[in-house]
Amino acid sequence: MTIDRLVCANCAAPVSQGRCPVCRANRERLQQEGPFAGLNPMALIVLMVVLVAALALVARTA
């Protein structure tokens, strides 16, 4: 899930706005996570299938 869709349980505002300390802390935590943290599981599966297919193609030609 992306940060722009999250709603803070403390102040009921979007987390991306950072209105309260809880929002700001969660926004910082989400921004420090890796580049694949925002991807949904289906996108990760598709990415993995594409990488395996590319690896199989390279192994076949070598």
Side-chain angles (χ1 to χ4, degrees):
M1 181 173 281
T2 58
I3 192 171
D4 58 329
R5 294 186 180 229
L6 292 177
V7 176
C8 178
N10 191 41
C11 68
V15 172
S16 61
Q17 292 179 358
R19 291 186 183 176
C20 71
V22 176
C23 292
R24 288 188 288 276
N26 282 323
R27 184 178 59 191
E28 285 295 319
R29 182 184 58 84
L30 288 170
Q31 289 175 349
Q32 290 178 357
E33 290 180 357
F36 299 111
L39 293 177
N40 62 9
M42 186 56 81
L44 288 174
I45 291 171
V46 168
L47 180 62
M48 188 181 247
V49 168
V50 168
L51 289 174
V52 168
L55 182 64
L57 182 64
V58 168
R60 185 176 177 192
T61 57

